[in-house]
Amino acid sequence: MKNLKIYFVAFLILVAAVSTSAVFSEDTFQIAEGLNATSNITQALDNATLENKTVMLVFDQDSCYYCDLFKNDVLSDENVQKELNEKYIVAVSDVNQEPQLAGQLRVVGTPTIVFLDSNASEINRIDGYLPADEFLDVIKEI
């Protein structure tokens, strides 16, 4: 019986460790191969200040056809990635998980891309999907 309790406690510690690492790993992820992003908006703004970059905040949601198209066709484009990696900190927010942030930035549909300076002031936005070449033209002008 004593061994059973030890195994049970060890199991609980293991579950807690795995859960904790999953939570921390959610902050940084790949939205498209070759392009790192974060779900931590505060960290994105801090990094933008440190690196003198603009934050590109992508609002999306599950089961959004144009969100998936944007990630697969636009954010995977080599030229788009080069520009984003050089000049932007990319952050992603799910409108269903962060409705308050989406409301604060007046997001009414997805995908919506909001460009912020390091003070969280909006510089520009793209409401909806743009093909890679048009998107590239926009991000080069910001």
Side-chain angles (χ1 to χ4, degrees):
M1 189 67 160
K2 186 176 180 179
N3 285 340
L4 185 59
K5 286 181 182 180
I6 292 171
Y7 287 126
F8 182 72
V9 170
F11 174 76
L12 289 178
I13 292 170
L14 178 64
V15 168
V18 169
S19 298
T20 303
S21 68
V23 167
F24 288 118
S25 67
E26 282 185 44
D27 281 353
T28 302
F29 58 94
Q30 271 194 342
I31 188 170
E33 189 171 334
L35 182 64
N36 289 324
T38 182
S39 60
N40 185 327
I41 309 307
T42 303
Q43 186 64 50
L45 291 167
D46 289 345
N47 289 347
T49 300
L50 291 172
E51 299 177 34
N52 195 29
K53 292 183 176 182
T54 299
V55 173
M56 183 182 89
L57 179 52
V58 179
F59 285 94
D60 74 349
Q61 62 183 319
D62 288 338
S63 302
C64 168
Y65 173 79
Y66 287 103
C67 298
D68 292 339
L69 195 63
F70 178 70
K71 289 184 259 189
N72 293 332
D73 293 350
V74 179
L75 295 182
S76 296
D77 181 272
E78 186 177 302
N79 295 321
V80 169
Q81 286 186 357
K82 182 178 184 227
E83 189 73 15
L84 290 175
N85 286 331
E86 287 178 13
K87 297 182 182 175
Y88 294 89
I89 302 293
V90 180
V92 181
S93 177
D94 184 309
V95 294
N96 296 314
Q97 292 179 4
E98 297 188 77
Q100 186 175 13
L101 179 62
Q104 182 181 6
L105 291 170
R106 301 173 324 279
V107 174
V108 294
T110 55
T112 296
I113 298 89
V114 180
F115 298 91
L116 304 169
D117 66 17
S118 58
N119 295 318
S121 298
E122 185 174 328
I123 299 169
N124 199 351
R125 78 170 41 223
I126 299 171
D127 293 312
Y129 173 83
L130 285 180
D133 57 338
E134 292 177 39
F135 183 78
L136 185 59
D137 289 341
V138 171
I139 62 174
K140 282 184 175 184
E141 290 181 15
I142 294 176

